[in-house]
């Protein structure tokens, strides 16, 4: 086992990793920008190294500074968290080339899944069902037209290098295709430096359902069931559940088997998530995330597992020590992402937290790096906390989340807590009747 790990991240996820390390008896090294000198992850870590100025590209994305920090402090492994360098294959490779362990999959697997066309063709060959669409990259507008006619409108033009919901454009009909084609390509070129695009049928009422996988270096692959992440705004998740309100245990077992078989054949290792769109009883693979995800706590609650601890154990070469039949699912979990944003306009709202009082009680978990007097910097992601609840049934989990959010005090900055309250009180949400399009419609309703 490692004796010291460097955490190449900030905010709640840096704390999350730090907590797992501490319980394993591992020393931690925090890295931080000049804007994060007072951050909680810096205060709680055993050692902290400033790696650059506020802008992410000069600090949290500064590979040379992070490696120097690891070398100076004698860290043996680096946990990248999510975002920042977590899906950067070159970073993973550089870390390993310096004799350190990257806590995650191999650079080759990160690269393979980071390119969505390669990810889809790889998964298809391994027997995973896909959204109907083009066979790889579209070479011309004419080819796009032909594929769109075949699968039927509406269609979606997507960037192979896409992420965070960018580089994706819908064409409702043939007349919109040319514009979607050129806008998606321009966006992809600007944002990712790669304008390769592909086409998928645009599903009208899917749910976003994803599967959590863990694989060790000894050929053992297991899944921890599904998360339903259909509540999204601009393709960004806002509220997640485990399990999905629409999936039966048999369906979970079936897709779980398909996914674990595929990853076993690939020789995948560490944590990964397969994302699917689910409509009319069919699963269609859309992408794989080769890292820990923001919403991992809902899985931890229903499976009683510490996924970060498992990631560290796997990276250290340990065997999982359990099989699929040892994993059971208990109750229901819900996570609300609390963003420092205006709940109506979604404009970011950084500033000083005048009063912070998190909720507590049975089945309530708060993952956050906030404290009273903390100044939320304007430079990074606006998510400031995650509230996760666990209860025997979905209805009880919703009631518990309502109660927890009522207790949650964050003064001085605006947050999306009022929006979460409205969602939780909505009869359609309570019945579990929602698709990926539901939240956009909900937020445009007068209230
Ligand atoms: P990103 O990597 O940018 O997050 P994804 O491929 O994971 O892109 O898609 C993000 C979201 O976009 C999905 O969760 C879903 O809401 C929507 N989406 C993606 N593909 C389709 C599709 N074929 N039809 C309808 N919605 C889609």
């Amino acid at each position: 086992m490692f004796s010291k790990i460097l955490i190449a991240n900030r905010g709640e996820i840096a704390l999350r990793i730090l907590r797992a390390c501490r319980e394993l008896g591992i020393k931690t090294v925090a890295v931080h920008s000049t804007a994060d000198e007072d951050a909680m992850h810096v205060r709680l870590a055993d050692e902290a190294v400033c790696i650059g100025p506020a802008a992410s590209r000069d600090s949290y994305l500064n590979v040379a500074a992070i490696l120097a920090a690891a070398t100076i402090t004698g860290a043996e492994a680096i946990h990248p968290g999510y975002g920042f360098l977590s899906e950067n294959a070159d970073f993973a490779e550089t870390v390993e080339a310096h004799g350190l362990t990257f806590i995650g999959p191999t650079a080759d697997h990160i690269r393979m899944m980071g390119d969505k066309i390669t990810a889809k063709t790889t998964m298809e060959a391994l027997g995973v069902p896909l959204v109907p669409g083009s066979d790889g990259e579209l070479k011309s507008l004419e080819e796009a037209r032909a594929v769109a006619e075949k699968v039927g409108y509406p269609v979606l033009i997507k960037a192979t290098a896409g992420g965070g919901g960018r580089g994706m454009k819908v064409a409702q009909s043939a007349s919109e295709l040319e514009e979607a084609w050129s806008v998606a390509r321009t966006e992809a070129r600007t944002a990712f430096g790669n304008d390769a695009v592909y086409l998928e049928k645009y599903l009208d009422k899917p749910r976003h359902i994803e599967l959590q996988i863990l694989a060790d270096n000894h050929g053992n692959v297991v899944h921890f069931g599904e998360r339903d992440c259909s509540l999204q705004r601009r393709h960004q998740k806002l509220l997640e559940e485990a399990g999905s309100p629409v999936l039966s245990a048999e369906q979970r077992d079936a897709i779980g088997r398909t996914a674990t078989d595929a990853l076993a054949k690939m020789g995948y290792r560490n944590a990964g998530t397969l994302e699917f769109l689910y409509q009319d009883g069919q699963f269609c693979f859309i992408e794989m995330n080769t890292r820990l995800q923001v919403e991992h706590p809902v899985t931890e609650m229903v499976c009683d597992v510490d996924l970060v601890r498992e990631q560290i154990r796997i990276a250290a070469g340990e065997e999982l020590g359990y099989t699929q039949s040892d994993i059971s699912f208990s109750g229901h979990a819900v996570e609300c992402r609390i963003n420092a944003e205006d709940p109506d306009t979604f404009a970011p709202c950084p500033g000083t937290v005048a009063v912070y009082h998190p909720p507590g009680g049975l089945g309530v978990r708060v993952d956050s790096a906030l404290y009273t007097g903390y100044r939320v910097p304007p430079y990074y992601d606006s998510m400031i906390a995650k509230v996760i609840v666990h209860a025997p049934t979905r209805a009880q989990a919703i009631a518990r989340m309502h109660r927890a959010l009522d207790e949650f005090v964050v003064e001085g900055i605006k947050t999306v807590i009022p929006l979460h309250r409205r969602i939780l009180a909505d009869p359609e949400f309570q019945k579990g009747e929602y698709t990926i399009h539901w939240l956009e419609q909900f937020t445009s309703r007068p209230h």
Side-chain angles (χ1 to χ4, degrees), residues 239-309:
L239 181 155
E240 303 97 347
E241 312 192 46
S244 168
V246 296
L247 222 59
S248 67
E250 292 71 32
Q251 286 171 301
R252 169 195 290 157
D253 289 348
I255 192 69
R257 220 170 304 121
T258 305
T260 47
D261 284 354
L263 293 203
K265 279 187 214 141
M266 263 174 71
Y268 190 80
R269 66 164 206 220
N270 216 284
T273 299
L274 270 75
E275 297 194 332
F276 297 90
L277 293 180
Y278 174 81
Q279 182 167 318
D280 304 323
Q282 299 291 322
F283 281 96
C284 302
F285 171 81
I286 47 171
E287 69 162 342
M288 177 171 178
N289 290 317
T290 51
R291 56 169 167 82
L292 187 68
Q293 290 199 264
V294 175
E295 60 274 23
H296 75 277
V298 288
T299 300
E300 296 189 319
M301 304 302 265
V302 296
C303 294
D304 193 19
V305 61
D306 179 338
L307 290 169
V308 179
R309 177 190 175 95

Side-chain angles (χ1 to χ4, degrees), residues 116 158 163-165 200-201 203 208 232 235 275 287 436:
K116 293 184 174 193
K158 295 171 87 168
E200 275 178 3
K201 182 161 183 62
L203 302 179
H208 173 117
Q232 305 179 353
H235 306 302
E275 297 194 332
E287 69 162 342
I436 57 165

Side-chain angles (χ1 to χ4, degrees), residues 234-435:
R234 304 211 168 140
H235 306 302
Q236 299 284 342
K237 298 162 188 168
L238 191 71
L239 181 155
E240 303 97 347
E241 312 192 46
S244 168
V246 296
L247 222 59
S248 67
E250 292 71 32
Q251 286 171 301
R252 169 195 290 157
D253 289 348
I255 192 69
R257 220 170 304 121
T258 305
T260 47
D261 284 354
L263 293 203
K265 279 187 214 141
M266 263 174 71
Y268 190 80
R269 66 164 206 220
N270 216 284
T273 299
L274 270 75
E275 297 194 332
F276 297 90
L277 293 180
Y278 174 81
Q279 182 167 318
D280 304 323
Q282 299 291 322
F283 281 96
C284 302
F285 171 81
I286 47 171
E287 69 162 342
M288 177 171 178
N289 290 317
T290 51
R291 56 169 167 82
L292 187 68
Q293 290 199 264
V294 175
E295 60 274 23
H296 75 277
V298 288
T299 300
E300 296 189 319
M301 304 302 265
V302 296
C303 294
D304 193 19
V305 61
D306 179 338
L307 290 169
V308 179
R309 177 190 175 95
E310 295 305 278
Q311 283 193 293
I312 296 170
R313 285 205 312 114
I314 291 168
E318 291 187 12
E319 283 201 50
L320 284 180
Y322 46 82
T323 62
Q324 193 62 51
S325 59
D326 296 314
I327 297 166
S328 58
F329 304 91
S330 148
H332 195 89
V334 177
E335 171 181 281
C336 287
R337 297 189 187 196
I338 311 300
N339 300 332
E341 289 169 5
D342 182 294
D344 292 312
T345 64
F346 301 99
C349 191
T352 301
V353 179
V355 184
Y356 176 72
H357 180 80
L362 184 65
V364 177
R365 163 176 171 184
V366 179
D367 281 19
S368 174
L370 241 55
Y371 56 85
T372 294
Y374 177 68
R375 198 172 35 79
V376 178
Y379 313 105
Y380 313 109
D381 193 86
S382 63
M383 195 183 76
I384 49 165
K386 305 187 304 207
V387 181
I388 306 105
V389 299
H390 183 221
T393 65
R394 182 169 186 269
Q396 284 168 281
I398 292 171
R400 182 160 286 166
M401 182 62 87
H402 230 131
R403 185 274 285 170
L405 294 185
D406 283 347
E407 284 176 26
F408 203 175
V409 181
V410 186
E411 283 176 14
I413 55 171
K414 288 184 188 171
T415 75
V416 295
I417 291 175
L419 170 62
H420 279 300
R421 283 220 195 86
R422 285 201 295 126
I423 294 170
L424 294 165
D426 184 86
E428 280 172 0
F429 171 76
Q430 290 180 356
K431 279 187 262 170
E433 289 170 0
Y434 56 79
T435 71

